[in-house]
Amino acid sequence: MNVPLWAWLAVLLFIVLMLALDLFAHRKAHVIGVREAALWSAVWVAFGVGFGVLVWQVYGAEFGQQYFAGYLIEKSLAVDNVFIWAIIFTYFAVPREYQHRVLFFGVLGALVFRGIFIAAGSAIIASAGWVLYIFAAFLLITGYRMIRHRNDHLDPDKSRALKLFRRHVPMTDDFHGQRFLIRRRGVLLATPLLAVLVLVEATDIIFAVDSIPAIFAVTDDVFLVFTANAFAILGLRAMYFLLADLIHRFIYLKTGLALVLIWVGIKMFLKIDIYYIPTPVSLAVIAAILLVSVAASLWATRGQGRQPLPAPERAPFGTASPEEMAALEPLWRRREPSRSNHP
C-alpha cells in the first residue's frame, strides 16, 4: 500500500481527538454501567469497521480483507486481556468508579508500546526475512501453551513488575480517589492506583508479544498493522465494562484464541516459501474459530447471569478517609520568586 503522510497524520489526529473526547466524557469518576459500556463499544466497533470499509474502497478488496483479518485477530486476543484486567481489579479491590481512569492511561500506553513494537517488527522483517520462521514457531508454541494452561489464571500478587514497583517506589497503602500520586509531609508518594496501572501496562506488553507477530501473519503492511491494532485497542475500555462480569461464561474462548494463534502460525510458515493462503480463507477460518468457541461457551453456560469475580477475603489496600484527603499537600510545589536584597 502506498499510504501518503497526510493519511498517517489524519489517523493519528483522529485517535487523539477520540481519546480526548473519551477523557472529557468520563472526566468525573463514576461507575460505568452495562448500557453506557454497550453504547461506547458500538461506537468503537463502528469506527473500526468503518475504517476497514474505507480501506476496502480506496485500496481494494485484498487490503481491506487484510485489515479485517488483523482487526479480528487483535480484537479477539484483546478479550483475553480484558479478562486479565478484571482479575487485577478484583484482586486489588479497585473501586469501579476509578477503573476507567486506569484503563484510559493503560490504553494510551498500549498504543505507544504497540507502535514501537510494530515499527521494530517491520524493520526486523525487512532486514532479515528469516525472522518470520521465528515468529511462526513462536505463535505455534504460544498457541500450544495456551491450550495446555487454559485453566490457569494470573496471580497479581506474584507479578514481577508489581514487586519491582513496590520495592523501588514509595507508595501509600490507601487509594486516594483517582490520584496516581500524592504528596504527604513533603514526600511524593505513589498510590495503589498507580501500581495497578503499572501492572495493567505490563500485562499488555506481554500480550503485545503474542499479537504483533500474529497480525504480521495476515498482512505485511505497517499502516494496516498499526490501524488494526489501534482501532481494536481503543474499544478495550468499553469492552471491559461490558464483559467483566461475564468472564465465567467464556469457558472455551481461550482454546479458540489458541487455535487462532496456531492457524496464523501455520499460515506464516507456509507463506514464507511454500504457499500463500488467500486472505479470504484466512479471514473465514479465524472468524469460524472465534464464532464456534464463543457460541459453544455461551451454550454450555446458558442460564448463568452476570456475576463478579470472587474477591479476596482481605483487600490489600484501603481507602483514604475524607480527612486524609483534605490534609493532602499540593502535588506540585510552586517556586517562590527569589527575593533580591536591597541595601
Side-chain angles (χ1 to χ4, degrees):
M1 281 178 62
N2 184 19
V3 180
L5 178 61
W6 66 263
W8 277 97
L9 295 177
V11 169
L12 293 175
L13 179 61
F14 176 80
I15 292 173
V16 171
L17 290 176
M18 288 306 299
L19 286 172
L21 176 62
D22 189 291
L23 186 62
F24 177 79
H26 300 91
R27 62 192 182 280
K28 293 184 178 179
H30 67 280
V31 177
I32 297 179
V34 175
R35 183 176 180 180
E36 182 180 354
L39 178 61
W40 275 99
S41 292
V43 169
W44 290 119
V45 170
F47 283 134
V49 173
F51 184 81
V53 172
L54 181 63
V55 170
W56 194 309
Q57 291 179 342
V58 175
Y59 292 100
E62 175 61 24
F63 288 117
Q65 292 165 358
Q66 289 181 16
Y67 167 83
F68 279 115
Y71 178 77
L72 192 56
I73 289 174
E74 294 301 324
K75 200 71 171 176
S76 58
L77 291 175
V79 175
D80 202 24
N81 207 354
V82 164
F83 293 165
I84 296 299
W85 291 349
I87 293 173
I88 293 172
F89 286 150
T90 301
Y91 180 85
F92 293 112
V94 179
R96 292 183 70 92
E97 58 268 28
Y98 305 147
Q99 293 176 5
H100 181 274
R101 184 173 176 82
V102 175
L103 295 182
F104 177 86
F105 288 100
V107 166
L108 188 61
L111 287 170
V112 174
F113 284 117
R114 297 292 178 99
I116 295 172
F117 290 162
I118 291 168
S122 177
I124 292 172
I125 292 172
S127 60
W130 54 266
V131 79
L132 290 175
Y133 287 108
I134 298 177
F135 283 0
F138 176 77
L139 291 172
L140 293 173
I141 294 171
T142 302
Y144 168 75
R145 292 182 62 185
M146 283 183 67
I147 292 177
R148 185 177 179 183
H149 302 285
R150 59 188 178 278
N151 296 321
D152 295 348
H153 300 289
L154 170 73
D155 186 350
D157 197 45
K158 295 181 180 179
S159 168
R160 293 181 181 179
L162 182 62
K163 289 180 180 179
L164 286 173
F165 181 86
R166 300 179 75 170
R167 184 184 304 166
H168 298 289
V169 179
M171 191 177 78
T172 69
D173 294 326
D174 299 318
F175 291 105
H176 287 72
Q178 295 192 90
R179 300 174 186 235
F180 292 116
L181 296 168
I182 63 168
R183 184 177 294 277
R184 189 168 60 192
R185 300 186 186 92
V187 179
L188 193 64
L189 301 171
T191 70
L193 209 62
L194 183 59
V196 172
L197 175 60
V198 169
L199 188 53
V200 166
E201 292 287 6
T203 57
D204 182 75
I205 291 174
I206 295 173
F207 275 94
V209 174
D210 297 336
S211 65
I212 299 302
I215 195 172
F216 272 114
V218 296
T219 179
D220 298 326
D221 189 88
V222 179
F223 183 73
L224 295 182
V225 173
F226 175 75
T227 51
N229 261 275
F231 281 107
I233 291 173
L234 285 171
L236 281 185
R237 297 180 308 284
M239 184 188 295
Y240 164 77
F241 292 106
L242 188 63
L243 300 179
D245 293 340
L246 295 173
I247 294 177
H248 60 287
R249 298 201 59 188
F250 292 89
I251 57 177
Y252 301 126
L253 181 59
K254 197 162 189 177
T255 301
L257 296 178
L259 293 176
V260 168
L261 291 180
I262 292 173
W263 165 252
V264 295
I266 293 173
K267 172 180 168 59
M268 183 175 281
F269 258 127
L270 297 176
K271 172 185 175 181
I272 299 170
D273 293 314
I274 302 174
Y275 176 70
Y276 177 76
I277 299 176
T279 304
V281 175
S282 297
L283 183 58
V285 171
I286 294 169
I289 292 173
L290 296 174
L291 182 61
V292 170
S293 63
V294 171
S297 297
L298 296 178
W299 176 261
T301 59
R302 60 190 181 280
Q304 298 182 20
R306 290 179 169 271
Q307 60 183 52
L309 288 173
E313 294 182 2
R314 186 172 181 271
F317 302 114
T319 302
S321 65
E323 292 76 16
E324 291 173 323
M325 292 289 293
L328 291 178
E329 302 170 19
L331 187 59
W332 308 114
R333 293 179 172 179
R334 296 181 179 179
R335 290 186 177 182
E336 296 183 2
S338 57
R339 299 177 180 178
S340 57
N341 295 325
H342 297 284

